[in-house]
Amino acid sequence: MDQSYKSLHENIDVNADFSRNFLCHCRPIAFKRPSGQMVEITEIGLTHPKYDGLKTIFAFDVTDGYTDYRICLDSESLDWYLEYEGDNNV
């Protein structure tokens, strides 16, 4: 499977559910890019914390069925950003 990724650091708005029943207590549902494009998340893959000094950033590998994305939640500022997008060759 050949995938091409585009590295970004794009601030996004995210609709998410928070519950103790979810891994990391958070499940992103959709996000809106600065261009106005709404992306509906159809599947969440790997979810993991990343560390930047004392700050924890939660990374979510997600897809809308066509494109793969990594969206991140900065636990200090509570800002979301799109780290990368890539082709999903299904």
Side-chain angles (χ1 to χ4, degrees):
M1 182 185 309
D2 181 56
Q3 292 188 335
S4 172
Y5 291 100
K6 182 177 178 184
S7 182
L8 307 164
H9 193 87
E10 193 175 281
N11 290 327
I12 55 174
D13 293 323
V14 176
N15 294 335
D17 283 337
F18 290 86
S19 170
R20 289 191 166 280
N21 297 326
F22 305 138
L23 183 64
C24 296
H25 305 294
C26 177
R27 184 181 70 196
I29 299 168
F31 63 92
K32 184 177 180 182
R33 299 179 74 170
S35 66
Q37 174 193 12
M38 258 326 257
V39 177
E40 299 292 328
I41 297 169
T42 59
E43 186 177 345
I44 301 172
L46 182 65
T47 302
H48 59 93
K50 302 186 320 178
Y51 302 99
D52 181 9
L54 297 176
K55 180 170 40 174
T56 303
I57 297 170
F58 294 96
F60 299 83
D61 291 339
V62 300
T63 185
D64 62 359
Y66 303 102
T67 304
D68 295 325
Y69 303 93
R70 174 170 288 158
I71 61 175
C72 298
L73 172 62
D74 181 322
S75 66
E76 188 173 277
S77 67
L78 298 180
D79 288 330
W80 288 88
Y81 62 91
L82 175 59
E83 186 171 75
Y84 72 72
E85 68 176 311
D87 294 335
N88 181 343
N89 299 324
V90 179

